C-alpha cells in the first residue's frame, strides 16, 4: 500500500496527519505563539488546580501531556487546552461532601472524574453522537457560566486578601464581621489587589504580552525579598520536580463511581460546549471546517490522559485559544512548543513557584473569571430576544447559586426547564387560518385582515411537523371551526410547512378525512413535501376520496378553489 493510501486510511484515527507540512516561517510563528501560551499556562494551571481543590503540582501535570493529546486527536489545532476556571469550579463543587479539599482522597476522586468525563466525551464522539450536546441550550450554559463566575469570585475573595477562607465564613456565620476584617493579611492583600489592578488596567496589552507571567514574577520576587512565606503568608510552597507518573489509578467502590457519574456527565457536556465556542470562533477566522465529533474524541482523550497523569479534567480555554490566534499561530505545532515550556518548568523551575503568593493566583482567577466569563449585557440582549428564555436563564442562575457547591444541579435545573419549554412549544404549534395575499401566497388571514379565500372554505396552515405532539391541536382546530360555522363545505390544509409526519399524524389525517366527509365537507391538501406525501401514499391516505384534491402548490390551490 502506498504512503498516500496509508495516510488516507489512518487519517480518521490520526487526524494530525492532515496538518499542513510545516515550513520555517510557520514553525517560527508556532514557536512564538506556543512559548507565549506556555508561559501564561504555567501560573494559570497552578491557580486552577488550587481552585479545583487539587494539589498545585497537578495543574502542571494537566498542562503537560493532555493539551498535546487533545490537539493531536482533535480537529482544531489552535485550541488552548488545559486547566480552565469553569471546569475547575465544577470539580470543586462536585467533590465537596465526598472528601476534604486537598486530601489524597479528593485527588483520587479528581483523577477518576477526569477519566470518567473523558470516557463519556470519547464515547459520544466515537459513536458520532456529537449533536447530543445541542440539547444543552446555549441559554442554560451561558446562565450557568454567569453564576459559576460569581461563585468563583466569591470563593477567591478571602485568598485575594490573604485570609483563611474557613475562618472568614465562620466569623460571618457567627455575626462577627469585625473578626473577619482584622484577619486580613495586609501584605497578602497588597499582592492580590496589586495583581488585580495590574491585570485589569493593562488588559488591552494582554494579547501582546504575558501579563500573568510578569505579575507572577514580580510578586514572587517581592514575596522572597520580604520573607512573606517566613512570616506565615500563604504561598504555593514546595512542588515536586520531575515528570508525572503515568499510571492507572486504584479502583474504587461502585458507590463512588455512582456518586461521580452525574458530575462527570455535566463536566463532559459543559466543557465541550465551552470548547465548541472556541472552535467555532477559530474555524470562522481561519475559514476552515471543523469536526465536532472528532473534537469530542480529542477532548475525551485529553481528559483521560490527564487522569492517567494523576491530574483533573481539562478543557479548552477561550482566552488562551484567542491568544493563539492573535499571536499568529499557524498549526497544532503550537501545542508542542507550549509542551516544552511546561516540561522545562517541571524539570528545572518548580522551586521558583514555591514563593508565589496565593493572593496573586486568586487575582489571576478572579480577573480571568470576570473578564472572560461574566457578561451582564447578555441578560439585556436575552430579554429583548425572549422573555421565556430570560426566565429560564435567571432560574438557572438562582438554582446554581442555591445548589452551590454542588453546581451540577444548577445545570440540571436549567436543562429541565429548557426541555420543558421546548416540549411546550412543540405541543402548542402555530395553527392559523390563511387566505390569499396580493403576492399570491397564503398568509395569516387575521393578522393581515384578509377576506376568506372562498365562500364556505376554511384554509388552514400549521407551522410544524405533524406528529404525536401536534396531531391533536390540528384536529381540534379544524373540527372546532367546522362546528362553529355550519356553512363550511371545504377545508384546505396547506401542508407546505409540514416537513415530517409520524403514525399519529397519519391516523389523525385519516380520521379528519372521514369525520369531515360525514359532515359533507371535502378535505384538500396543498404543498405536500415529498417525504410526507410518500408516507401518506404508503399508508393509503392518498389519494383522497372525492371530491378531495391534492394541489402541488398554494398558487394552484388558490386558482382552482376560487374558480
Amino acid at each position: 500500500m502506498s504512503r498516500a493510501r496509508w495516510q488516507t486510511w489512518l487519517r480518521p484515527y490520526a487526524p494530525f496527519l492532515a496538518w499542513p507540512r510545516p515550513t520555517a516561517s510557520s514553525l517560527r510563528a508556532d514557536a512564538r505563539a506556543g512559548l507565549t501560551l506556555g508561559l501564561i499556562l504555567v501560573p494559570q494551571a497552578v491557580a486552577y488546580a488550587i481552585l479545583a481543590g487539587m494539589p498545585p503540582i497537578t495543574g502542571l501535570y494537566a498542562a503537560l501531556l493532555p493539551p498535546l493529546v487533545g490537539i493531536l486527536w482533535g480537529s482544531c489545532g489552535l485550541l488552548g487546552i488545559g486547566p480552565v476556571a469553569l471546569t475547575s469550579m465544577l470539580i470543586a463543587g462536585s467533590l465537596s461532601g465526598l472528601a476534604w479539599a486537598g486530601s489524597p482522597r479528593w485527588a483520587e476522586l479528581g483523577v477518576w472524574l477526569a477519566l470518567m468525563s473523558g470516557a463519556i466525551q470519547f464515547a459520544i464522539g466515537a459513536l458520532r453522537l456529537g449533536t447530543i450536546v445541542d440539547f444543552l441550550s446555549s441559554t442554560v450554559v451561558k446562565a450557568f457560566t454567569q453564576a459559576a463566575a460569581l461563585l468563583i469570585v466569591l470563593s477567591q475573595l478571602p485568598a485575594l486578601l490573604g485570609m483563611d477562607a474557613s475562618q472568614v465564613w465562620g466569623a460571618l456565620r457567627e455575626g462577627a464581621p469585625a473578626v473577619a476584617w482584622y484577619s486580613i493579611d495586609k501584605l497578602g492583600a497588597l499582592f492580590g489587589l496589586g495583581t488585580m489592578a495590574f491585570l485589569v488596567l493593562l488588559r488591552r496589552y494582554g494579547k501582546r504580552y504575558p501579563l500573568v507571567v510578569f505579575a507572577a514574577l514580580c510578586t514572587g520576587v517581592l514575596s522572597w525579598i520580604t520573607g512573606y512565606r517566613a512570616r506565615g503568608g500563604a504561598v504555593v510552597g514546595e512542588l515536586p520536580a520531575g515528570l508525572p507518573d503515568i499510571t492507572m489509578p486504584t479502583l474504587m467502590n461502585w458507590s463512588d463511581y455512582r456518586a461521580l457519574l452525574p458530575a462527570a456527565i455535566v463536566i463532559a457536556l459543559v466543557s465541550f460546549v465551552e470548547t465548541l465556542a472556541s472552535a467555532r470562533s477559530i474555524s470562522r477566522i481561519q475559514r476552515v471546517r471543523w469536526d465536532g465529533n472528532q473534537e469530542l474524541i480529542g477532548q475525551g482523550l485529553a481528559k483521560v490522559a490527564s487522569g492517567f497523569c494523576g491530574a483533573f479534567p481539562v478543557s479548552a480555554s477561550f482566552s488562551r485559544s484567542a491568544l493563539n490566534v492573535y499571536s499568529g499561530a499557524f498549526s497544532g505545532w503550537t501545542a508542542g512548543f507550549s509542551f516544552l515550556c511546561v516540561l522545562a518548568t517541571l524539570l528545572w523551575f518548580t522551586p521558583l513557584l514555591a514563593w508565589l503568593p496565593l493572593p496573586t493566583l486568586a487575582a489571576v482567577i478572579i480577573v480571568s473569571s470576570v473578564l472572560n466569563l461574566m457578561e451582564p449585557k447578555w441578560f439585556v440582549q436575552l430579554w429583548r430576544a425572549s422573555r421565556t428564555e430570560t426566565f429560564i436563564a435567571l432560574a438557572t442562575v438562582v438554582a446554581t447559586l442555591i445548589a452551590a457547591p454542588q453546581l451540577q444541579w444548577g445545570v440540571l435545573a436549567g436543562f429541565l426547564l429548557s426541555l420543558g419549554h421546548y416540549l411546550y412549544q412543540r405541543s402548542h404549534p402555530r395553527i392559523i387560518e390563511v387566505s390569499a395575499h396580493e403576492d399570491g401566497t397564503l398568509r395569516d388571514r387575521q393578522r393581515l385582515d384578509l377576506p376568506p379565500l372562498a365562500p364556505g372554505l376554511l384554509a388552514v396552515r400549521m407551522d410544524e411537523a405533524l406528529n404525536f405532539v401536534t396531531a391533536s391541536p390540528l384536529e381540534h382546530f379544524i373540527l372546532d371551526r367546522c362546528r362553529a360555522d355550519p356553512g363550511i363545505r371545504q377545508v384546505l390544509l396547506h401542508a407546505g410547512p409540514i416537513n415530517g409526519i409520524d403514525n399519529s399524524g397519519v391516523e389523525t389525517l385519516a380520521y379528519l378525512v372521514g369525520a369531515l366527509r360525514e359532515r359533507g365537507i371535502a378535505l384538500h391538501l396543498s404543498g405536500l413535501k415529498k417525504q410526507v406525501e410518500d408516507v401518506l401514499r404508503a399508508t393509503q391516505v392518498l389519494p383522497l376520496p372525492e371530491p378531495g384534491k391534492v394541489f402541488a402548490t398554494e398558487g394552484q390551490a388558490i386558482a382552482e378553489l376560487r374558480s
Side-chain angles (χ1 to χ4, degrees):
M1 186 181 292
S2 66
R3 181 179 179 182
R5 288 189 176 182
W6 268 110
Q7 288 185 337
T8 302
W9 184 79
L10 287 173
R11 192 162 293 170
Y13 309 100
F16 52 85
L17 292 176
W19 288 2
R21 186 181 296 275
T23 62
S25 60
S26 70
L27 282 177
R28 281 195 298 269
D30 286 339
R32 182 172 58 251
L35 293 176
T36 302
L37 182 67
L39 288 172
I40 292 176
L41 183 57
V42 168
Q44 282 190 346
V46 175
Y48 294 147
I50 294 172
L51 176 62
M54 298 288 288
I57 190 63
T58 60
L60 295 179
Y61 294 164
L64 182 66
L65 190 59
L68 196 59
V69 172
I71 292 299
L72 287 173
W73 275 273
S75 67
C76 183
L78 300 188
L79 287 177
I81 301 174
V84 296
L86 186 57
T87 302
S88 295
M89 191 65 182
L90 277 170
I91 297 166
S94 304
L95 300 185
S96 62
L98 299 178
W100 291 103
S103 66
R105 173 64 172 167
W106 182 288
E108 180 187 26
L109 294 173
V111 167
W112 275 107
L113 204 52
L115 293 174
M116 292 173 66
S117 60
I120 291 170
Q121 284 189 329
F122 179 84
I124 294 174
L127 295 174
R128 318 302 290 177
L129 299 175
T131 54
I132 197 173
V133 180
D134 295 336
F135 286 96
L136 192 60
S137 75
S138 61
T139 298
V140 171
V141 174
K142 200 82 168 181
F144 169 76
T145 300
Q146 307 306 299
L150 179 59
L151 291 172
I152 289 171
V153 172
L154 293 175
S155 70
Q156 293 303 303
L157 282 178
L160 180 73
L161 302 175
M163 305 159 69
D164 183 271
S166 59
Q167 292 180 2
V168 171
W169 299 123
L172 294 177
R173 280 194 298 267
E174 295 173 4
V179 175
W181 175 258
Y182 286 114
S183 66
I184 293 177
D185 181 351
K186 294 180 177 57
L187 184 55
L190 183 62
F191 286 141
L193 296 175
T195 300
M196 181 181 294
F198 173 77
L199 295 176
V200 171
L201 293 176
L202 299 179
R203 65 182 181 276
R204 68 170 65 180
Y205 304 105
K207 292 181 178 180
R208 187 176 304 172
Y209 304 107
L211 298 181
V212 174
V213 178
F214 295 156
L217 285 174
C218 292
T219 55
V221 171
L222 289 174
S223 170
W224 175 69
I225 293 174
T226 59
Y228 180 63
R229 180 182 183 184
R231 59 190 294 272
V235 296
V236 171
E238 302 295 339
L239 297 178
L243 302 180
D245 294 327
I246 301 179
T247 58
M248 178 69 184
T250 306
L251 295 177
M252 304 186 298
N253 295 325
W254 179 243
S255 58
D256 294 327
Y257 295 114
R258 284 187 299 177
L260 290 178
L261 183 59
I265 294 174
V266 169
I267 288 174
L269 295 179
V270 171
S271 70
F272 185 67
V273 172
E274 194 175 18
T275 301
L276 196 68
S278 299
R280 278 178 176 168
S281 177
I282 293 173
S283 64
R284 287 169 182 171
I285 292 173
Q286 293 188 315
R287 301 290 192 272
V288 295
R289 186 181 181 278
W290 72 287
D291 185 343
N293 289 307
Q294 188 62 52
E295 198 58 56
L296 273 165
I297 291 174
Q299 291 291 315
L301 290 175
K303 288 179 173 62
V304 171
S306 188
F308 283 137
C309 290
F312 50 94
V314 296
S315 185
S317 164
F318 189 83
S319 61
R320 293 199 298 267
S321 300
L323 178 63
N324 254 343
V325 176
Y326 184 87
S327 301
F330 184 76
S331 68
W333 286 97
T334 304
F337 292 103
S338 178
F339 169 86
L340 294 176
C341 189
V342 178
L343 178 65
T345 302
L346 279 169
L347 292 178
W348 300 298
F349 301 122
T350 51
L352 299 180
L353 296 173
W355 297 94
L356 188 59
L358 293 188
T360 296
L361 297 181
V364 171
I365 293 172
I366 290 175
V367 172
S368 298
S369 301
V370 173
L371 296 184
N372 299 323
L373 299 179
M374 297 186 75
E375 299 180 44
K377 291 183 180 179
W378 173 76
F379 286 99
V380 177
Q381 296 172 350
L382 186 63
W383 175 261
R384 293 170 180 168
S386 171
R387 303 290 194 273
T388 304
E389 286 196 82
T390 304
F391 167 75
I392 293 174
L394 293 175
T396 302
V397 170
V398 172
T400 303
L401 296 176
I402 292 175
Q406 300 291 330
L407 304 187
Q408 65 271 21
W409 301 116
V411 177
L412 179 61
F415 168 73
L416 293 176
L417 285 172
S418 63
L419 181 61
H421 174 54
Y422 174 81
L423 294 177
Y424 178 83
Q425 287 182 312
R426 299 289 82 75
S427 62
H428 293 77
R430 184 170 183 260
I431 305 174
I432 56 174
E433 182 180 353
V434 294
S435 187
H437 190 261
E438 60 184 12
D439 63 3
T441 61
L442 293 172
R443 307 280 288 274
D444 190 335
R445 181 190 168 197
Q446 182 179 5
R447 186 173 68 87
L448 299 175
D449 194 23
L450 300 174
L453 181 60
L457 172 66
L458 171 67
V460 178
R461 187 186 79 202
M462 182 176 73
D463 300 334
E464 190 59 76
L466 184 56
N467 52 40
F468 70 99
V469 177
T470 60
S472 291
L474 178 63
E475 174 188 332
H476 294 323
F477 183 91
I478 293 176
L479 294 181
D480 288 348
R481 288 294 184 94
C482 291
R483 292 189 189 102
D485 185 358
I488 294 176
R489 301 266 57 93
Q490 299 181 92
V491 172
L492 170 66
L493 175 59
H494 176 48
I498 299 176
N499 55 14
I501 188 170
D502 66 0
N503 186 61
S504 297
V506 171
E507 292 178 350
T508 297
L509 206 53
Y511 171 74
L512 281 173
V513 171
L516 293 175
R517 190 179 184 187
E518 290 176 0
R519 291 178 169 82
I521 301 173
L523 177 66
H524 310 294
L525 300 174
S526 70
L528 281 172
K529 297 281 177 60
K530 182 181 184 303
Q531 63 270 27
V532 176
E533 184 177 355
D534 289 345
V535 172
L536 294 179
R537 292 194 181 280
T539 53
Q540 299 182 352
V541 176
L542 293 182
L544 294 174
E546 293 289 342
K549 297 180 179 179
V550 178
F551 303 104
T553 65
E554 54 189 310
Q556 182 182 346
I558 292 171
E560 187 161 341
L561 293 175
R562 275 186 161 180
S563 60

